[in-house]
Amino acid sequence: MINFRLPIGDALEAMIDFLVEHLAFFTKASADIIEVMLKALENTLLAMTAPGFIAVVVIGLWLGTKDRKLCLGSALGLALIWNMGLWTATISTIALVVVSTLCALIIGVPLGIISAISSALNRMVMPILDIMQTMPAFVYLIPAIPFFGLGKTAAIFSTVVFSMPPAIRFTCLGIRQIPAELVECSAAFGATRWQRLIKLDLPLAAPTIMAGINQTVMLALSMVVIASMIGAKGLGGEVWKAIQRLQMGRGFEAGIAIVIVAMILDRVLQKLGTPKQK
Amino acid sequence: MIKIRVQGLYKIFGPHPRKAMDMLAQGKSKEEIMADTRHGVGVNNVSFNVQEGETVVVMGLSGSGKSTLVRCLNRLITPTAGSIFIDDQDILTMNERELRQVRQQKLGMVFQNFALFPHRTVLENAALGLEIQGMPLDNRLQQAREALSLVGLESWGDTYPRELSGGMQQRVGLARALALSPDILLMDEAFSALDPLIRRDMQDELIHLQQKMRKTIVFISHDLDEALKLGDRIILMKDGAIVQIGTPEQILTNPATEYVARFVQDVDITKVLTAESLMKRSEAVAYLRTDGPRAALRKMRKHSIAHLFVVDHNHQLVGIISADAAADLAAQGKDNLSDGVVCTDIKTVNPSTPAQDLFNIMADLPYPLAVADENNIFLGVIVRGTLVAALAERGGIV
């Protein structure tokens, strides 16, 4: 017992080494695409300048939600961030969150749909999701480095892995929750599986899927902060710098900026998630 | 023409239906099979035909297999054994694509809890089946609108199902099925979730629609009154098997088993028996052209009655003549009845009038009630005494 140790860590390391070696073409390609996307988004947002960005956000929120409090709060919050001199870092963080969320949804929603349809896949995916969600977030940082090296792409990789489970889970749940009678009805009228998915499953599961997207965004935001340890920069980078230099005030300022971004994202997604009542 | 033909249909629920089938063949009961093998018997050796244009009500208590049976008809549930022919096509041997086609074109289904899509308007719901068929938008909305107007909801197309009452929602469900112009309507406890008043309205409306459409309808119900009202024939099920098939009257007056008899004992028979089943096909009529007063009097004496219906050579009802009038004519030496015929617009009922309505009609009638069809052809006569006697004999009233 004392001398024999199960080589779990060694095995996983060997597996990752193997993957790094043989998936290099894939990771390189996807890293390039992600980097281009991220750079483009970040540059666009920065080019808008702080007042421009704030104006666009507020007008968009007003048209979308007609919620005066939300508009005013967002304007004030963003203005505060600007005032604290954290604008560039905030934009960098937002760009990271947007790109990782998009990647997580592009992979997660279809996976959720498939695991709702196939019980076999469902039984396979669910325990993996359990593991993914209970694994400490920091652990995902380590394999990202051999694949992508230090930097933003590695940060996005670990963020996608960390934030994807709710997208899969909620999509799957939303579709499985469709009342049996409606499912029966679509079959009785001769719908194909695809027609059922488009006409019944997705529209009815939309609020649940939106709740999953909300969670994914929130997890992505928390992860891009943690990913500053492997070079994500942005607001997380400010916090990380403040830790290393023991600049308490600077650290809290960055923390407040993160809270503001999180609150705006959360409220907006909640508004989008509640179906409009006529 | 036979529209639906079901032969030796079985449905066993569970992973290994063979064993349960063997036990059924040995005559084991549903409970024994459940206890031994944990397999449920849904449908047990069911065979029946449905004629085109006929309304068949499949009736039974919950757990009798009636809902399973109707789902076998469009293969929402795949039967374990047996065959189902719709228009002589065996739907159990069809592949997915053929099956979808039959479902899209021939089988409209109406569900107990309406099963409307909550995210779609009433019109979009009514158009669902057509949309699945791939019909272009304009055509399908047009056809859906027509279906909605059939059920009286043409002005509700833009509302959402949750804004409608239960009865209206089920009208949408009916319109959705009718929009396909299917040959067959499968109605699974379609009115059971509605409150009694609305339910009666919907039943009347279905009868009314059916008079125009002549669809083949398989209606599932646990409500005997509903079955008696809607069904041309009733299939009574118990434990997955058919106990009796027959017209409402056959089921009531001639129950095949003790179970059926108990099932029907509380029925108000006056709602079910019709004028046709109560009338006497009397030969005691006078023919206007050939019978003179003396012949009429002789017929009255022979049948011990004081009135005689008079018909023309087509057997169409002309009027009624009393014994007194006939005697007067005879005294005057006339050889023709036409002067003595009174009440040329005498009260008649058609053969499908329910017995409960007959009491009121007959109450203030000084002479017996004539039964005539829509062309006024004389069919028979109902005398108050025979009405009461017939009902008493069948255990109905008194």
Side-chain angles (χ1 to χ4, degrees), chain A residues 181 184 187 190 192 195 199, chain B residues 71 100 104 113 119 131-132:
Chain A
E181 222 181 15
E184 208 172 39
T192 59
Q195 282 175 322
K199 295 179 201 303
Chain B
R71 278 168 176 69
R100 273 202 305 275
Q104 285 173 8
N113 295 315
H119 59 287
E131 186 180 335
I132 289 169

Side-chain angles (χ1 to χ4, degrees), chain A residues 128-139:
Chain A
I128 297 178
L129 291 184
D130 289 336
I131 295 171
M132 279 170 78
Q133 283 185 298
T134 35
M135 185 75 73
F138 299 95
V139 179

Side-chain angles (χ1 to χ4, degrees), chain B residues 284-286 307-312 315-322 340-350 361 364-373 375-382:
Chain B
V285 289
H307 296 88
L308 203 58
F309 289 104
V310 182
V311 298
D312 66 11
H315 225 73
Q316 276 182 333
L317 199 56
V318 179
I320 192 167
I321 188 166
S322 67
V341 175
V342 290
C343 314
T344 38
D345 57 343
I346 53 168
K347 180 76 190 162
T348 62
V349 292
N350 73 34
I361 297 170
D364 0 285
L365 216 56
Y367 45 82
L369 183 61
V371 181
D373 67 11
N375 297 320
N376 209 28
I377 304 283
F378 180 75
L379 297 173
V381 53
I382 299 173

